Amino acid sequence: MFFDANGDGRPDLYVVSGGNEYSEGAPALQDRLYLNDGHGKFHKAEGYLPTEAASGSHVVAADYDGDGHVDLFVGGRVVPWSYGADPLSMLLHNDGTGHFTDVTAKLAPELQHVGMVTDAVWQDVDGDGRLDLVVVGEWMPITVFHNEGGGRLKRMTVPGLEQSEGWWNRIVTGDFNGDGRVDFVVGNLGLNGRLHATPQEPVTMYVKDFDGDGAAEQLISVYNQGASYPLAQRDALISALPFLKSRFPAYKDYAKKKITDIFTPQELSGALFKKVSTFATTLVLNNGDGSFKLVPLPNEAQLAPVYGIVAADLNHDGHTDLLLAGNFDGFKPEIGRMAASYGLLLRGDGKGHFTPVRTSESGFFVPGQSRDIARVRTAHGELFVVARNNDRPLIFRPSRGQTVASAGKHH
């Protein structure tokens, strides 16, 4: 993220370090701050950030405490080699010179291990004039931290979001129905795969070191005809946990067994438990009374996981439109690739409804695994840049008199 860390009017650069390649605590996971000298050069600012080694995902900046200095929230993505455990997230206070202090334990203790964070936004959710923090992630509900003043953030219970657990990837804000209140669009796994979830029939996960070898196992269950069964096949489960072989010597012994049939209550005791209640990429509408309503976007937006979202008036009709991109190839064969999206333009009517636009009309054609979309102002006009995993970025330029929506070109 580029932002002015030290108050000299020049954008500095904060880089989050993360991934699953290093063990927890590795020095390579230390985040970095680069200060701008005003001549196009940046130098690494040593000692400006607290020492940490968390595997992070995302940073968002705002002067949320009103002291004139830009502060940061840094989301933790994963505990390396321990998927399912909640990593460390940080609220960093800026002293005005670009030196940051971790104040999470003091000012926002509920934020320290909020979950497996993928994205966050600073936004005044309740209209009290103070910036609140909205956090999303995998196996997480859409979570709002209310700005209590004095730099304190407190987790809110928000009606309508109680059962919003998803595999959320991205969140953007906007007034999508024209009522003057802040709404959200949140990218999720989508509905075009094997995994489906509702609040009544959630996808669930137990995480524990079941065999005591020092490594945690993740046991995911999905509903089928009214009952929840483990996703893992017998061979895969026994390969990970050989002590189960004597319990299930044949496939028929394992068939139709629930997690609670496979493990004793004592074995499940102490396990982390997580769930997902929806996989739909969703419009989250602000009802204006402190509650929100989840409205799935059209089916065309549910074909694959959504990682990149831009909310903008693309055809200059006064209403906010959406650009979406995503796909994910990394699932095991029993789940299958989720790569049916080639990018999507959704045209908004300003009343909270979105209409898909054909690729032949929009020109927004994005194959591959997209991870983000950025709207960039240049000397030659506006561009939309789509970043793709292990691939070249795609750049779309609006045609004259039109938008990226109506005649985009990519390079």
Side-chain angles (χ1 to χ4, degrees):
M1 165 164 282
F2 286 100
F3 72 107
D4 183 5
N6 55 5
D8 63 0
R10 298 189 289 259
D12 308 301
L13 176 63
Y14 189 103
V15 180
V16 181
S17 298
N20 209 42
E21 289 77 13
Y22 296 93
S23 61
E24 186 178 18
L29 294 175
Q30 171 71 50
D31 291 356
R32 290 154 282 149
L33 178 67
Y34 298 89
L35 297 178
N36 185 349
D37 70 357
H39 302 286
K41 294 182 179 180
F42 292 79
H43 68 272
K44 189 174 182 179
E46 301 287 356
Y48 279 60
L49 301 180
T51 300
E52 52 82 26
S55 181
S57 64
H58 202 74
V59 56
V60 285
D63 177 18
Y64 82 102
D65 56 3
D67 66 356
H69 313 313
V70 180
D71 308 300
L72 301 173
F73 167 70
V74 184
R77 180 65 178 88
V78 68
V79 176
W81 309 346
S82 297
Y83 181 87
D86 293 332
L88 183 71
S89 292
M90 298 184 296
L91 182 66
L92 301 183
H93 178 261
N94 187 352
D95 70 354
T97 68
H99 290 82
F100 289 87
T101 304
D102 185 352
V103 295
T104 325
K106 178 182 177 182
L107 299 179
E110 297 166 296
L111 196 58
Q112 275 191 301
H113 295 281
V114 63
M116 302 171 67
V117 177
T118 55
D119 202 3
V121 290
W122 291 101
Q123 191 71 44
D124 182 5
V125 173
D126 57 355
D128 65 357
R130 294 191 294 262
L131 290 174
D132 309 302
L133 181 65
V134 186
V135 184
V136 298
E138 283 186 5
W139 304 98
M140 277 183 61
I142 300 168
T143 306
V144 180
F145 286 85
H146 183 252
N147 190 336
E148 304 280 290
R152 296 188 176 276
L153 297 175
K154 183 178 180 180
R155 187 167 184 163
M156 294 177 63
T157 298
V158 181
L161 302 183
E162 306 98 327
Q163 295 179 310
S164 62
E165 298 93 351
W167 283 2
W168 306 112
N169 303 311
R170 185 72 69 232
I171 181 169
V172 299
T173 63
D175 178 11
F176 298 108
N177 58 358
D179 62 1
R181 297 187 287 263
V182 60
D183 309 305
F184 306 99
V185 170
V186 198
N188 208 342
L189 179 73
L191 304 176
N192 191 31
R194 180 178 175 184
L195 301 178
H196 297 274
T198 67
Q200 296 74 34
E201 295 190 345
V203 171
T204 60
M205 179 173 68
Y206 287 91
V207 182
K208 185 180 178 180
D209 179 7
F210 286 93
D211 55 0
D213 66 353
E217 288 80 35
Q218 297 79 23
L219 303 174
I220 296 175
S221 294
V222 298
Y223 270 82
N224 187 4
Q225 297 183 346
S228 180
Y229 300 103
L231 186 64
Q233 298 177 5
R234 173 187 172 274
D235 291 351
L237 187 63
I238 290 176
S239 176
L241 299 172
F243 73 89
L244 293 176
K245 187 172 184 178
S246 60
R247 297 183 192 180
F248 307 104
Y251 293 100
K252 65 179 181 179
D253 301 316
Y254 180 69
K256 298 186 178 180
K257 288 293 189 296
K258 303 174 185 177
I259 289 292
T260 50
D261 299 323
I262 297 170
F263 297 94
T264 67
Q266 183 178 2
E267 287 169 337
L268 289 175
S269 175
L272 290 171
F273 177 78
K274 293 179 179 288
K275 66 176 182 176
V276 168
S277 298
T278 177
F279 284 119
T281 290
T282 298
L283 169 65
V284 183
L285 291 174
N286 189 335
N287 294 324
D289 58 1
S291 68
F292 287 80
K293 179 182 179 182
L294 273 61
V295 181
L297 289 178
N299 286 337
E300 289 82 352
Q302 310 296 346
L303 294 177
V306 171
Y307 289 93
I309 308 175
V310 164
D313 181 6
L314 298 170
N315 58 352
H316 309 294
D317 64 353
H319 307 313
T320 302
D321 310 302
L322 298 172
L323 286 177
L324 309 178
N327 291 334
F328 184 72
D329 291 347
F331 287 113
K332 289 186 174 183
E334 54 261 39
I335 297 178
R337 293 172 60 216
M338 295 189 70
S341 172
Y342 290 90
L344 178 66
L345 166 68
L346 290 174
R347 188 161 288 156
D349 66 357
K351 300 177 182 179
H353 304 104
F354 290 92
T355 303
V357 179
R358 292 180 179 273
T359 304
S360 58
E361 179 184 349
S362 72
F364 188 65
F365 179 71
V366 184
Q369 299 183 81
S370 302
R371 290 297 172 262
D372 208 353
I373 309 173
R375 190 181 184 187
V376 182
R377 290 192 302 267
T378 76
H380 303 288
E382 188 175 60
L383 299 176
F384 293 87
V385 181
V386 183
R388 298 185 296 169
N389 188 47
N390 289 338
D391 207 342
R392 299 174 181 176
L394 298 179
I395 301 173
F396 294 85
R397 184 190 305 278
S399 297
R400 180 175 296 180
Q402 297 178 320
T403 70
V404 67
S406 50
K409 297 179 180 179
H410 73 269
H411 305 280

